Structures are given as structure tokens and as C-alpha cells.
Amino acid sequence: MLDSPLLEALIVGGGRGDGTTSSRRSRAYLTRCVSHAQDELKTFRSYLRWLCVDQSNIWTACLSWSMFVFFGLFVPIVSHFLLACSSCDGRHDRPFDVIVQVSLSSAATVSFICLSSFVRKYGLRRFLFFDKLWDESETVRKGYTDQLNRSLKILCVFVLPCLAVESAYKIWWYASGASQIPFLGNVYLSDAVACIMEILSWFYRTTIIFLVCVLFRLVCSLQILRLQDFAQLFQKNSDVGSVLSEHFRIRKHLRIISHRYRAFILWSLILVTGSQFSSLLVTTKYSSEVNIYRAGELALCSITLVTSLLILLRNATKITHKAQSITCLAAKWHICATLDDSLDVNEDETPVASAAAPGIESLSVGIFEESDGEDAGDEEDELDNSKLIPAHAYCTISFQKRQALVNYFENNIAGLTVYGFTLDRGAIHTIFGIELSLVLWLLGKTIGIS
């Protein structure tokens, strides 16, 4: 939907004879199109505003950075040094608080800086590719809108359980008399304020971390919908040019996503790995006493960070797998057309596929019936399944064009990358192998596991 200033600019540009100045103004307006208040991103904008992440002007930017410095840095530092409680008993001392605060604050800092730069540089509408939806199919637009509406629910699914567990722990810790610092003149009032500040700080940091991950998942879901819609071109009577044009556009969007998120994914991997190894090192020391009271926050922090990293890697791997499945689909499309070629071709003629042969039709029916059985399950990929391509989808495309298209897909594999390193299943296996090797080495140095 276009707002009134944009309509006025387009009308003025179309009403003049030369239209040069007006066209330039229209293009300048469209380069950073700010959507109106009643658009599909209204809920997201309100959420960012309440979270104090909105940086649309200088005042909201100052408020956003002030909230981040207060809840992301100041409150954790003050709570650690004032509430270290070295004289507490074994159930109330916090020996792992340094790792917890540093890990959460570091991950929240990277997330906040990346989110701020994204929103400030691109704008929320352009960052979420809503400005590109006008040339998508109705299925893609509807599916992406549904994913957008589900994003806040998914964010709550990850944040609220962590908030509930942390709130229960903090309320127990303060209610049991661990803190006796009357900085407000009253012990109970001081404990209540300190408890609320710590809970809000934890909620703020975990929400920032998961928000960027959920936005990444949302953008990946759009590309998956595009790939599924792109796969339908092989089921239609499409020419090679339209297939290549659509694949070029998908590859361009995947490169944009990779470029925007590569630093965030890399830093998240480094910070989470460092946090987990630090936690493993301090908990496996000979003199370390580990129980639910002393290491509960450390476990919750580890679960939070590892979950956020898994969201990133899972969605990156999923979209890369979907993009690479196009090669298998194109090869299947080509072989179905080749098997179906029943024309007698002279030496100087180009072989062209004809209508489906009876043998191929029976084979197609058999495979369709087999794929619809109960044993097929939900593990079968919709882009790489055992169903044959119908004959009408390739009846006008020659053998040479199909072969060239398959060669193109084989040599131009799309997917998400981090500084040239493709995030596919092989990459996940490599990361897992490295992490496991380091864990076993660290355990061998601390508690003697070999």
C-alpha cells in the first residue's frame, strides 16, 4: 500500500511533460521508503519502540542507547560488585557470576549493535524485504505475512521460560536474606529494587539476543517460500530464460542476507564457544562445588546462548539445503524430459520433448502412489522428492537448453555463506567436530578424561 506523499510524488511526476525533476524526486523518495503507520509492520514497530530499540530519530536513538547501557552494562556490573556476597553460605554465594554476566552482556552487545545498524541503515521495511514483496506471488506474500505474525509468538516462546526461571531464582535469592545492603535506607525496599533491576536486565538482554535470531529466521523463511515457489516453475511450461532470471534474483537476495548477517553469526559463534568453554573450565576444577543453587544461573545462561546459536545455524542450514535441492530438481526435470523424448529426430534437427510416453506415465503413477504412502513420512523434502515432473512442463524446451540449465545449477550452488564459508550440513558437522575435540581436550586437562 502506498501512502499519500508517495502517491502525490508519482502523480506529479506523471503529469509533467519532461518529468525529469519529478522522476528524480520519486526515485529519491523510493530509495528509503518509510511505510505508513497502519501497515503490516505496525506491531513490530510498536514492539521495537517499547523495547527502546527504535532509532528512527535522534531522541529515540539516545533513549535506545541509554537503555542498553543501563540494563545491558551498568546493572550487571553493579549487581556483581555489590552483591558478590563472599560471606554467604554455599547456597547463596555466586562463584560463576562473572561468566554469566560477561557472556550475556557480550552477546547482547553484539546483537544490539547489529540490530541498531540494520534498522538505522536499511529501515525495518527494507531490512525485512517487505519492499520486495510486490513482485512475489500471492502464496509467498501470504506465507511471509503469516510468518511475521508468528514471529512475536516465537520470541515469547524462547524468552518467557527463561524469564520465569530467572525470576524464580532471583526472588528466592533475595527473599532468603542473601542481600543485606540498604542503599535506599531500608533493607526490604533495597532488595526489592535490586531484584527488579536484575530481572529487567536479564529480560532485556535475552530479548535482544533472541530478537535478532527471530528476525534472521523470519528473513530465511521468506527465502524458503521463494524457493518453494521457484520449484513450481519446473511444473509449468516455463522457458529457460524465466527460470534463470528468477534464480538470479534468489541468489542476489541470499548474498544480501549473507552479507548482512555474516558478522553477527561469526561473533555469535565465537562468543558462545568462549562462554561454554569458560563454563566448562570453571565447573570442572578440582575445588569447584557445583549444585543447582550455585550454578543454576550459569546453566540458564548456557541454554540461552546455545539456543540462540542453534536458531541461527538451523535456519541458515535449512535455507542452504533448500537452495541446493534446486540442482536435484533440475536434474530430475531434465531426465524426465529426456526419457520422454520419443520423436525421431534428423541429424540437423534439435531434439524436442513430446507428449508423455505410456511407459513413463505408468512409472509416474507408480511413484506418485508410492510417495503418498504412510511410510513416506514428513522427512521427504518438497523440493527433492520421488515424484516425476509432468510432461507438459518441458514440452517446448530443447535438450541443449535443459542440459545447459542443469550445468548452470551444478556450478552455481546457492546458499548462505559467512565470509565465503557455506553454512550447510557439512559446515555444521565441521563445527561440531571442532567443538567436540576442544571439549574432550579440556576435559582431559582438567578431570583426566582421555
Side-chain angles (χ1 to χ4, degrees):
M1 182 181 296
L2 300 177
D3 48 4
S4 55
L6 182 56
L7 287 174
E8 292 177 2
L10 294 176
I11 293 173
V12 172
R16 296 184 178 182
D18 54 357
T20 304
T21 305
S22 301
S23 299
R24 291 177 180 176
R25 291 178 180 177
S26 300
R27 286 196 297 268
Y29 190 88
L30 285 170
T31 55
R32 181 66 184 276
C33 180
V34 181
S35 59
H36 53 85
Q38 301 296 329
D39 62 350
E40 60 276 350
L41 293 175
K42 181 180 180 181
T43 304
F44 248 108
R45 296 181 190 279
S46 301
Y47 184 82
L48 294 179
R49 192 176 300 110
W50 281 103
L51 196 58
C52 296
V53 185
D54 182 25
Q55 298 185 13
S56 56
N57 55 65
I58 186 172
W59 303 110
T60 56
C62 292
L63 177 61
S64 176
W65 280 96
S66 300
M67 294 292 291
F68 168 73
V69 171
F70 182 76
F71 286 112
L73 302 176
F74 179 76
V75 173
I77 292 174
V78 172
S79 65
H80 171 71
F81 286 103
L82 290 184
L83 305 175
C85 195
S86 58
S87 60
C88 292
D89 55 15
R91 299 176 62 183
H92 292 87
D93 60 342
R94 305 196 293 185
F96 311 120
D97 188 64
V98 175
I99 297 178
V100 172
Q101 303 299 343
V102 170
S103 300
L104 272 182
S105 296
S106 300
T109 300
V110 172
S111 302
F112 180 81
I113 292 176
C114 291
L115 181 61
S116 300
S117 62
F118 293 155
V119 176
R120 183 177 62 254
K121 184 177 181 180
Y122 305 107
L124 188 60
R125 190 176 188 84
R126 182 183 171 192
F127 171 65
L128 296 179
F129 292 95
F130 268 89
D131 59 329
K132 306 293 185 181
L133 286 182
W134 62 273
D135 56 348
E136 301 292 343
S137 64
E138 182 66 26
T139 303
V140 175
R141 290 197 296 266
K142 184 178 183 302
Y144 191 49
T145 304
D146 295 339
Q147 290 291 334
L148 174 68
N149 297 331
R150 290 181 54 200
S151 295
L152 292 180
K153 298 179 182 178
I154 295 174
L155 182 64
C156 294
V157 168
F158 288 112
V159 173
L160 293 183
C162 297
L163 177 63
V165 175
E166 176 65 14
S167 300
Y169 176 80
K170 289 299 182 183
I171 292 174
W172 166 83
W173 196 84
Y174 281 96
S176 58
S179 175
Q180 299 291 334
I181 306 175
F183 56 89
L184 294 179
N186 185 282
V187 174
Y188 299 105
L189 181 60
S190 301
D191 287 350
V193 173
C195 180
I196 293 174
M197 288 296 103
E198 283 203 273
I199 293 175
L200 289 178
S201 175
W202 187 284
F203 172 74
Y204 180 84
R205 288 178 289 175
T206 54
T207 304
I208 291 294
I209 294 171
F210 281 119
L211 178 60
V212 183
C213 298
V214 170
L215 290 180
F216 177 75
R217 178 190 175 277
L218 176 63
V219 173
C220 288
S221 66
L222 173 61
Q223 307 310 316
I224 292 175
L225 290 171
R226 282 172 170 166
L227 288 170
Q228 293 174 352
D229 193 64
F230 172 72
Q232 301 302 317
L233 292 178
F234 294 97
Q235 304 285 343
K236 304 174 182 178
N237 192 1
S238 303
D239 61 287
V240 175
S242 61
V243 175
L244 282 176
S245 176
E246 183 66 19
H247 193 261
F248 289 158
R249 191 168 65 95
I250 293 176
R251 280 180 57 103
K252 177 182 177 181
H253 291 162
L254 291 180
R255 286 196 299 267
I256 292 174
I257 297 174
S258 301
H259 181 77
R260 290 179 183 178
Y261 276 96
R262 59 185 181 179
F264 175 72
I265 295 176
L266 181 61
W267 275 108
S268 298
L269 181 61
I270 294 174
L271 291 177
V272 173
T273 302
S275 173
Q276 299 312 301
F277 278 102
S278 300
S279 304
L280 184 62
L281 183 62
V282 297
T283 53
T284 54
K285 291 173 59 177
Y286 178 76
S287 58
S288 178
E289 180 182 353
V290 180
N291 53 54
I292 189 62
Y293 302 103
R294 295 163 60 93
E297 275 192 314
L298 182 62
L300 183 60
C301 174
S302 299
I303 293 174
T304 301
L305 296 181
V306 171
T307 302
S308 64
L309 182 61
L310 288 179
I311 294 174
L312 296 175
L313 295 181
R314 180 184 180 276
N315 287 277
T317 305
K318 185 177 180 180
I319 192 174
T320 302
H321 173 69
K322 296 289 185 181
Q324 294 177 353
S325 297
I326 297 296
T327 303
C328 299
L329 183 63
K332 181 179 65 177
W333 168 74
H334 179 42
I335 192 63
C336 289
T338 304
L339 292 175
D340 193 54
D341 188 5
S342 59
L343 289 178
D344 294 330
V345 184
N346 297 328
E347 294 181 357
D348 297 333
E349 292 180 350
T350 301
V352 180
S354 65
I360 301 300
E361 289 181 353
S362 61
L363 178 60
S364 177
V365 171
I367 293 181
F368 271 105
E369 292 177 353
E370 180 183 356
S371 63
D372 293 335
E374 296 180 356
D375 295 335
D378 296 332
E379 297 180 358
E380 187 179 9
D381 193 280
E382 62 270 18
L383 302 185
D384 185 16
N385 52 44
S386 58
K387 298 180 180 180
L388 293 181
I389 306 298
H392 64 78
Y394 42 75
C395 61
T396 61
I397 302 178
S398 64
F399 178 88
Q400 288 84 355
K401 290 182 179 181
R402 296 196 308 267
Q403 184 63 41
L405 185 63
V406 172
N407 291 335
Y408 164 77
F409 283 125
E410 290 177 349
N411 294 280
N412 294 272
I413 299 177
L416 292 185
T417 60
V418 176
Y419 296 102
F421 189 73
T422 304
L423 292 177
D424 53 5
R425 291 174 179 175
I428 300 301
H429 295 161
T430 302
I431 294 174
F432 176 77
I434 295 174
E435 300 283 349
L436 182 61
S437 301
L438 294 176
V439 167
L440 294 178
W441 174 82
L442 182 58
L443 291 177
K445 292 295 183 180
T446 53
I447 60 179
I449 295 179
S450 60

